[in-house]
Amino acid sequence: MRAAANAVALRDPMKETAPRPDSAAILNPTDTFVHRHLGPSESEVREMLETIGTGSLAELVAETIPESIRRTAPLALADLPADRELGEREMLETLRDMVMKNQVFRSYLGMGYYGCITPGVIQRNILENPGWYTQYTPYQSEISQGRLEALLLFQTMVADLTGLPIANASLLDEATAAAEAMHLCFAVSEGERNAFFVAKDCHPQTIAVVQTRADALGIEVRVGDPELVDFSAGEIFGVLLQYPTTDGRVVDYGPLIERAHGGGAKVAMATDLLALALLRPPGELGADVAIGSSQRFGVPMGYGGPHAAFLATRDEYKRQLPGRVIGVSRDRRGRTAYRMAIQTREQHIRREKATSNICTAQVLLAIMAAMYAVYHGPEGLKAIARRVHALAVVLAEGLRRLGYAVGREPFFDTVRVGTGERTADEIIAAAAKWKINLRRLGERAIGVALDETVMAGDVDNLLKIFAGGFPGFTAEDLAAEVEVDVPAPHARSSAYLTHPVFNSFHTEHEMLRYLKRLEARDLSLATSMIPLGSCTMKLNATAEMLPVSWRELAYLHPFAPIAQAEGYRELFRSLESWLCEITGFAACSLQPNAGSQGEYSGLLVIRAWHRARGEGHRDVCLIPVSAHGTNPASAVMAGLKVVAVGCDAGGNIDLGDLRAKAAAHRDRLAALMVTYPSTHGVFEEGIREICETVHEHGGQVYLDGANMNAQVGLCRPGDYGADVCHLNLHKTFCIPHGGGGPGMGPICVAPHLAPFLPSHPVIATGGGDGIGPVSAAPWGSPSILPISWAYIALMGPAGLAHATEIAILNANYMAACLSRHYPVLYTGSRGRVAHEFIIDLRPFKTTAGIEAEDVAKRLMDFSFHAPTVSFPVAGTLMIEPTESESKAELDRFCDAMIHIREEIRAIEQGKMDRQNNPLKNAPHTAEDLAAGEWDRPYGREQAVFPAPWVRERKFWPYVARVDNPWGDRNLMCVCPPMESYD
């Protein structure tokens, strides 16, 4: 760290004397972070310990974490001072010095990544606004209406532009969306077809990710020229085409699609939303699926991410549509309301039957892209697209006049240039002197991809590079002489974005008000705590978030020459080393860009290790029923057969059942997936024995790191027997949840697995025998990694361990407060919970007709988001307070839960009606309060101000309870017509 180094450099050893204990400390920064991140004060900690009935944090930890795995040595985090905390300004200056080593060239590389202009109103009020980026996944729709409307706009935008009727609410990136399209085509195919054809002119990273996914599932991928394919053999179930192609050509795929359909194959098209403002959409060409990235709709390149991908398809395939889908429904009063549709596809419900990582999404980025379309409207998008295309046409004409070979095929924004007598490398080297990156397409061919940030002067510079000096004409000279309209039959004639929302908010004033209206309909961490078990909704500090918008991080192309990204590389090395030290492992891959992707990647690494040892037949994965809900789906995606392991009455893995099943499958055992502490909120005493049992029978231990929040600094998976774990950086390490994304799920592995970490076809990453890529970009979503880097740097070794202690304290304090009113379902051997706990509401269904959902909705009236509902045990709530919440906030939540228990008691005692009561009618809206008639046997004040403190911080649900079954029966996943709004 720079400040620490400077301090050392100024010392004079001849004059140095031993300082008094407080003399050095007075010179330390005062803008430190740990006390800002942790909720309870020292005096409050003592009060909470007294309530719990223990004497100190150390004693509580000893009663919670098994002695056999507790770590006493402090974390050794390289480059962080061991004797003090960094100040926030000091951290930011150190990080700034690091990222300034990045060189932001003008990149004309394309390949699915483009420069774009993020409107300031969107950057300031969405990307940089905690009211948007600290929201949770919209499972509780009544307090998520703003975000749900924004996501419905995203779906509508995608459906309109692709010409297909239904789209999802985003996926991770274009390459993984292509893999999901392959899955969809396979799912709806007929017969025994097992081959998927990928056009060779798709983006290289897309081809590689599809191959990785297909290999795990035993699908054959054929890459080549689709015009030469014989579909009549009945072997191919699907085709992937790029539109426009990776080198820029616009092909009329209509005849090819008709031929593929004639042979029984489905067709997916990877496409560009901005190009579709001018080009015939895939749906009109006959495609069954369209996928791509919305990055160029106002989302910075960020060295690869995060970006919202999309997938649209035909209506008949809606039940196979991967990803989350937002639908239109109605509330109890009949008003239009939005919610997540057909949720039964979610992994925690489908488990091993969920063949897609459908819990992944990039919500915050999808919202940015949707609002980019709202702000510009259809005419604005068309104007941007026409300008980009015109720049490309002008460049192509200039290059022809200079004697370069430019194909006569139609193109949108990317020009393929034959270099003639000059080599591609010579021209690329000449461009580098101008701080320009061009794409090498062969020894004598170059690709130049333009975007909305390009100016006429930039085209002039390109022409000078190719001419070796001033060419004798300028871009403006050429513009008057070229035809910029897209030729038939490629030009689009159909309308898009016709809904009034896309045609109403084109001034910044109106756009700002629209964004604020939507923001006000969503409960976020800016409102109150979100106590969701297994999701860790902790503080996302402003100092951690500031670097996300820095030019040196946001504007770098992911495939720029590696020498231009030395700042990023240094950040990666630093963060990887810290994560390895925290987990006790030897190596790390940052490529998986979601927790589910981390699970999948870790299992592929295990499979690759088995294969390298001649044991590729190992394909059984043991998964306890207490494991995280995504585990079974990830195992199936990795080509493994899931065998469930039972739990005992205390919620612990049944060691007898584990031993029996490990022995029964010893010849085929590949792995055990275990969540630790378990999803039941318990540190199991037998974790070492569990790992030893699996190793004894030839398997590897995959540890789901979703609950690493309870371990950092106190115990390490690598020390107690795990071989690989993933880390949810959006949970433990403070990347905000973003309303359901972005996230990152890097994996850390033991030494013997390091050679198999994910590779990449464009930029070399991973081990020497690395599995194929699992994400489109080499390092997943790099632009959000500085958030976790900043968090770890600010907390330091001692602060990280103390945060874990406080997370355990807060959970045990709440469990102690609530246990007098609700049964706490599982505890450890000494009566303690980990960082989360489960309360059992199942008895109330019999005694009062009240279910977990009723309690969740009633909490909205107290201005709280519900805990995790009915997972991992139906009819329960899983509560996780995190270390960031103050005692006052914890007490408010407990107070709300106690109020609700008294209301349930009133129903049990016959003082309230079993159907017409505050829980069954919750949430109560302002419209309920203002209604002329009140036909309920309880007062309006009890309905909307159930506790005195609610008046001071009331959050009003925008709609009453949403009718989910009605929405599934009347599925609508695009914006409804305006006359349907009340």
Side-chain angles (χ1 to χ4, degrees), residues 59 170 236 309 316 372 458 522 616 764 869 879 901 908 913 938:
E59 184 179 332
S170 77
I236 296 173
E316 55 263 39
Y372 179 92
D458 295 312
D522 270 62
V869 178
I879 301 171
R901 179 64 184 96
E908 292 172 325
D913 186 81
Y938 54 92

Side-chain angles (χ1 to χ4, degrees), residues 3-69:
N6 288 347
V8 171
L10 292 173
R11 288 178 184 166
D12 183 350
M14 300 299 294
K15 298 180 180 179
E16 200 167 74
T17 59
R20 295 192 306 274
D22 61 344
S23 62
I26 200 169
L27 301 179
N28 291 341
T30 56
D31 64 333
T32 52
F33 178 71
V34 174
H35 70 293
R36 304 293 188 194
H37 178 76
L38 302 180
S41 66
E42 290 184 17
S43 62
E44 289 171 338
V45 167
R46 290 192 293 270
E47 291 177 30
M48 295 162 73
L49 289 169
E50 184 176 347
T51 299
I52 294 169
T54 192
S56 67
L57 279 175
E59 184 179 332
L60 175 62
V61 169
E63 294 172 355
T64 303
I65 301 178
E67 183 179 3
S68 62
I69 68 170

